[in-house]
Every structure is written in C-alpha cells, then in structure tokens.
Amino acid sequence: MSIYDTLNKEQREAVYHTEGPLLILAGAGSGKTRVLTHRIAYLMDEKGVNPWNILAITFTNKAAQEMRERVDKLVGFGSESIWVSTFHSACVRILRRHIDNLGYDTNFTIYDTDDQKSLMKDVCRKMNIDTKIYKERSLLAQISHAKDELLTPDDMEMKAAGDYNMKKVASVYREYQAALRKNNALDFDDLIVKTVELFEKCGAVLEYYQERFKYIMVDEYQDTNTAQFKFVSILASRYENLCVVGDDDQSIYKFRGANIGNILGFEQVFPEAKVIRLEQNYRSTQNILNAANEVIANNTERKPKTLWTENPEGEKIHFRQFMNGFEEAEYVVGDIASRRREGRCSYRDCAILYRTNAQSRLFEEKCLLANIPYKIVGGVNFYARKEIKDLLSYMKTIDNASDDLAVRRILNVPKRGIGATTVGRVQEYADHMQISLYDALRVSEEIPSLGRAQSKIDGFVTFIQSLKSKAAAYTVEELLEEIIDLTGYVDELKEEDTEESRARIENIDELISKTVSYQEAMAAEGREATLSGFLEEIALVADIDSVDPDQDYVLLMTLHSAKGLEFPYVYLAGMEDGMFPSSMCIFSADLSDMEEERRLCYVGITRAMKELTLTSAQQRMVRGETQYNRVSRFVREIPRELVELGHTIQEHKPKMPETTSAKSSYMQMKMAFQAKAFQPKSFQVKKADSLDYGVGDTVRHVKFGVGIVKDIVEGGRDYEVTVDFDRAGTKKMFAGFAKLKKI
C-alpha cells in the first residue's frame, strides 16, 4: 500500500498536480500540512525532482521545523537539501549572499524591536520631532505598514498629497531608512522589501533563484502581505510551479498587514491556476461544522466552500446567557471542573477563548479560586502585564511607600528624566542610611551630585504625597482614575494608536472594573473597601507562580492565538455585540472590518472537536461602568435547530434587579475566600441600639431584597442576624450594617 492511499480524493488530486500554479483552498481541519508534506514526497519519489529545487515557505519556525520532520519521515534520504523556512529566514539567506548588489555589506545587522525604537529616538532627536505628538512606536507602526505595501518614502510622500501629518511621517521614514543604511542594518520588514528590490534590480540573481526553486509551496497563504506576495510571484514567474495553500475564511491578521486579496485574486495573477477545495474535515462533529458554515456564509468576500465530515453529528452547540461576566466565568470554570471530576476529560482538553486579552482576568481569578491549573497562551497573565504592574505599583507606593520595588518601577513612568545613574545614587544613600528608597527621595537635597535631577525627584515626591493625601477621601476606583488622569498613562497610549496600545487600554479598563467589583463585593458584605484590602486581594489572586508547568492545564487564549490549534471542549466567551464583534467593527465604515471579525468567529468555532459552548452576559463591566449588550450577531447567525439553550436569550435591555450583586454566587465564593485574609484589624462596628424585628419576621435588605429572620445571636460587638432571603439564599450579617427593615 502506497503512502498516498491514506489520502482522500481531493487530497490526492492536490498531491498529484505538480505542474503549473495551484491554489488549494483548505478548510479548517482538512489536513493541509499532510497534503503539503505528501506533495513534497511525491515530487521527489515519483517525479524525480531534485530536493535542491524545492522551496517550502511557512509562517513560523515551529511550523517549518514540523514540516521538515514530517517530510524526513516520508522520504528519508535527501530531504535536508529542501529549503523549508519562513519568509524572513529565506530572505536573510538570499541577502547574506547578494545584498552587496544594493550597496550594503553582506555582514549587515538585523535590528529587533528595541533597536528600532532606539534608532527612531535618535532620528526624532535629530529632526526635532515632538515625540509627544508623533510617538516613536506609532511612527514605526506606520513605516512597517508602508513596507508591507512596498511603499518607499517617496511613494508615501506622493500619497500624502496635502496631508501634513502623513508628509511628516514620510520625512521621518526617509531619515530612518538613511540611518539604517548608514549603520549597515535592516529591520525585520526590510528583509522582504530588500529581497524584492534585489530581484527587480539584479536580473542575474533573480535568474539564479528562479532556476534553483522550480517548485515553490507556500502555507497559510491567506496571511501574506503585499511584499510577501510580490516575493513569491517574482520567484515563481519563470516556471509557475507555485502551489499555495490557505483558507480565505481564516484570514484574521489584517492588523498585521495580511492582505486577503492575495488568496482571493490568485487566479487573476495566475489565470492558468487550478483550484482544489479540501472540504472534508477530520477534526469536528457535523453540528459544529454546520454552525461554522452558517456563520461564515454571511461574508461576501470569500470563495464558497462547505465543510463536512464523516465524524458523528455530535452534541448541539451549547449557548448560555448570564446576568454578568462573573456568572459567565463561574459557569465556564464550574463546567470544566465537573467534567474533570466525572472523568469525562482532562484539563488540557478544555480551552477558553475570548476576543481581547483583558477578558482573561475573570477566568484567571475563577480558576485560582477553584484551584484549577491554567495557562495563558500567547499572552501574559493579567496581573503580570506591564501596564497593570505599573498602575498597581502606583497604588502600592501610595499604600506603602517602603515598597522599594514599586517605587523604583514608577519613578520614571511616565518619563520624568530620572535616569538609572540618579536612581543608583539615591539607592546608595538609602542603603547607607538604612532607610527606604522613598524616604531617601524625600530628602534628596541631602544627597550629593544629583544635579538637575533633584528638582525632578522633588516633583515625583510631591506628586505621590498629593495622591497619599487624597487616598483617605477617595474610593479605590477614584484613586485609580486619578492616577491614570494625572500620569497621562492612557493619553500616551491613545496617541500611540497601535493595536498593542489599544489592547493595553482595554487591560487598564478591566483593572478599573476590578476596583468597582471589589467595592461592590465589600459593600454587599457590609465591609469597608480599602486600598490595602484591594491590593491584598490582588496579591492573592495574582500569585500564579505556584502552578506547576508540568501539570494538566486549562488553556486560556485570545481567538488570534488559537489559530491552528484544536481542543475537544471549547468555550467561546463574551459573545455579545460590542465585545465580539467589537464596537469598533460595528461602527466602522469599512464593511471588510466586520467580515474579518466574522472570520475570527469562524476560526473560534472550528477549534472545537467534540463540544462547543458559547456564553454571553446581559451586562458587562467595561472601564468600571456597566454596559448592556445584546447577544452577538454571530450567535444569532447560527440556526436555532443547531443550538441547545440552557438559558433564555433576552435581547432586550434587562432591568437591574435589586439582588444582582448578591444573587451571584461569585459573592458567596468571595465571602468564603476572604473571610480571614481580609478582616481589617481596626474593624469597628456600631452596635444596633435595639431591633424592631424578631425571629420569624419578614424583613427587607437594600441589596438582598425580602427574607425571613431565622436567628438572632447577641455577639460582643453587635447582634448577628441570620436571614433566609427569597432570591439570595441564607445570609449572616451584623444588624448595625444590615439595616434591615421589618415589613
């Protein structure tokens, strides 16, 4: 039996078609890597093609490594001569040999992100650019986008026409390129741009590589940008034995420069191209595929294909709607816990997917409370993110200025002109005097050789002292808002205006929401919400180092990070208009933005192998404010007969019931979790003078609603009253705080 007999009809067709351009539209889970590796084996074994003449391009080093290993297994001897590489590593190999044709030395340096930032700082300084208006990172992002589109500084200038800002960026771009040239350096984008330039200017080099790579294969073609497309099409223009594999329905990296037009317009560029659709899915149940097909069918920019499988029909799509994000997270984590308890799955079989990184916080906290190991893929744990650590360090310094780590972290955030040398001198003085760093900063006039930095230190100390004086009168939320406003932290990120800066702002909004939910939890328990209490709670929740990396994990990740992965049980959270699709897409004038978002949903659905659960919340806290969102249009695009509803979908704006915060079992969990850890030492309560109700009476509580008094015990400080509430269950509380009213 040949190795090709294991392939289905379409897969075999794709393997056997070796001459001329070929577009393989490979649906999710249709075995595209398998097709590519078998195709390379077929070229070598059956067609007698020299492995030296084969180039296979993937997007990540990991995928390239995986492909090489699989080819090795299939063909054995000779595969080491095949070029299996990413776009960037292929271009580096070419440039190392031939870039002298463009006036560079072949020993050029490749600049990473930090090097680029340093260079851009120098360029801005030289050009007297106000980096408060033109942020370095924003300039670099715009230049990177121009390079993706193969635009030179001159092209950018012409395109700018009367746009002053764009002209300015074009002049920075020109200066930045000149500085790179002077340093004999290339940035990451240049690797592809310069290779294209080399091919266009130097016919002999191009001819050499056209002869060398007679058979070219490109994986994940839907993620290519204009420069990568140009590189491939020039290289393949002589023999046209170009095979591209991709799925236009999984094109989700527009923000990184990916151009879906490359795959949609392939047949225009190569009119002779054969198109093969791989529609048989080996991953999911038929119900999951039906849901995915129905959602993606609403897109107009796509090549029609319908996924099908020989797998069983499987469970319907589970949909659950909750009152708020706490209940959503509690349900998802609880469902995973019960599956594991009943032996139906391991933790590693489950993945929680969401649209933005900020959404991970609630799930992280729930996993920690339930003692479930988890791992965040493609992101950083919520409380370990730079912006969160920065703002928490401000709060820690206000609460406890002797925390040297916190003080050191924020001393120059945002930039105040307090450099490492200055900090070193202050630290030496603090060590010598055996005082904290902050105390040393307060007496900086006594430290010799600080020079001009002393006035900047004074400014920082004054700033912290003013916040300290406000802390007593402000709520935790108000204090955080004040820190954000006065430091200009979010304003800086807004000016940057990159995908990354927007994600950072979302995380900060989530931290504000956390302060509000903490205050609400404390109020529900009749306890004071203090800054120390908040930081204590964070410290407990954020202690994730205790999780053993060799354990069985639940995986938490954004939908972008999930691409290419698969899990038996997938939970797709935050399925509301405004969250997913994002409000930016809903209000965008560009229709393609919504289509991109729908493709992202399609990617999310097709990650699931056995069961898919979609969850949404009627109200969700964003930036400390409650938003009411209707169920996501993507959920509504799935036919009703494919969905099993655990809760009724309410698409009207729900009223806030009196018992919202108490009804949530989140609160009950919190109460158990916090009882000892957060009991303030100075806890004082005024004893109720007398009670106008007794055991058996019906009473009303401002949050918990109506209930019956079950027990009254006179304690040392106050009466302890037990009440069985209609909706909130049984609660114990101090009468002085509870302020129960007899009905």
Side-chain angles (χ1 to χ4, degrees), residues 401-418:
S402 356
D403 185 341
D404 283 4
L405 273 177
V407 174
R408 198 178 295 114
R409 184 175 183 101
I410 59 167
L411 196 48
N412 206 30
V413 174
K415 289 193 172 39
R416 297 186 175 90
I418 305 171

Side-chain angles (χ1 to χ4, degrees), residues 119 123-124 126-127 153 170-180:
L119 186 66
V123 168
C124 290
K126 187 180 169 188
M127 295 179 71
S171 64
V172 172
Y173 179 13
R174 185 173 286 106
E175 196 64 40
Y176 171 78
Q177 284 307 107
L180 281 170

Side-chain angles (χ1 to χ4, degrees), residues 207-324:
E207 197 171 322
Y208 170 79
Y209 283 102
Q210 286 178 333
E211 282 301 322
R212 166 87 201 254
F213 300 125
K214 293 177 181 173
Y215 294 88
I216 301 169
M217 276 159 271
V218 184
D219 196 8
E220 303 288 3
Y221 192 67
Q222 76 280 352
D223 296 333
T224 52
N225 59 34
T226 305
Q228 289 163 335
F229 166 73
K230 188 78 174 171
F231 166 73
V232 168
S233 54
I234 291 178
L235 206 49
S237 58
R238 172 165 290 198
Y239 289 101
E240 292 201 339
N241 294 330
L242 172 64
C243 165
V244 302
V245 184
D247 182 3
D248 50 304
D249 291 335
Q250 294 186 71
S251 175
I252 57 173
Y253 292 119
K254 185 179 173 183
F255 65 92
R256 286 188 200 161
N259 181 357
I260 194 172
N262 291 349
I263 192 165
L264 294 177
F266 186 80
E267 293 144 281
Q268 274 76 54
V269 179
F270 298 96
E272 306 297 306
K274 183 173 177 67
V275 180
I276 295 173
R277 287 174 169 75
L278 303 183
E279 295 173 305
Q280 184 175 355
N281 174 288
Y282 293 91
R283 177 185 297 154
S284 309
T285 64
Q286 190 60 56
N287 269 333
I288 291 169
L289 296 181
N290 289 344
N293 288 332
E294 290 288 344
V295 170
I296 201 67
N298 291 279
N299 273 5
T300 53
E301 274 192 354
R302 67 185 291 262
K303 292 189 176 285
K305 65 186 108 35
T306 305
L307 294 183
W308 62 276
T309 184
E310 290 176 351
N311 295 341
E313 193 171 87
E315 296 253 348
K316 287 186 174 184
I317 312 298
H318 308 294
F319 176 72
R320 303 285 185 271
Q321 189 181 35
F322 302 94
M323 185 59 74
N324 51 45

Side-chain angles (χ1 to χ4, degrees), residues 511-564:
L511 186 64
I512 297 169
S513 298
K514 170 68 189 173
T515 61
V516 174
S517 59
Y518 163 75
Q519 287 166 187
E520 285 179 355
M522 292 294 103
E525 296 169 35
R527 288 167 54 199
E528 190 185 353
T530 63
L531 177 58
S532 320
F534 175 72
L535 291 169
E536 230 173 286
E537 176 169 330
I538 295 286
L540 283 178
V541 169
D543 183 19
I544 48 172
D545 299 330
S546 55
V547 180
D548 179 358
D550 298 326
Q551 277 183 4
D552 190 17
Y553 284 110
V554 173
L555 287 165
L556 276 62
M557 65 187 88
T558 63
L559 286 149
H560 283 102
S561 303
K563 189 163 175 292

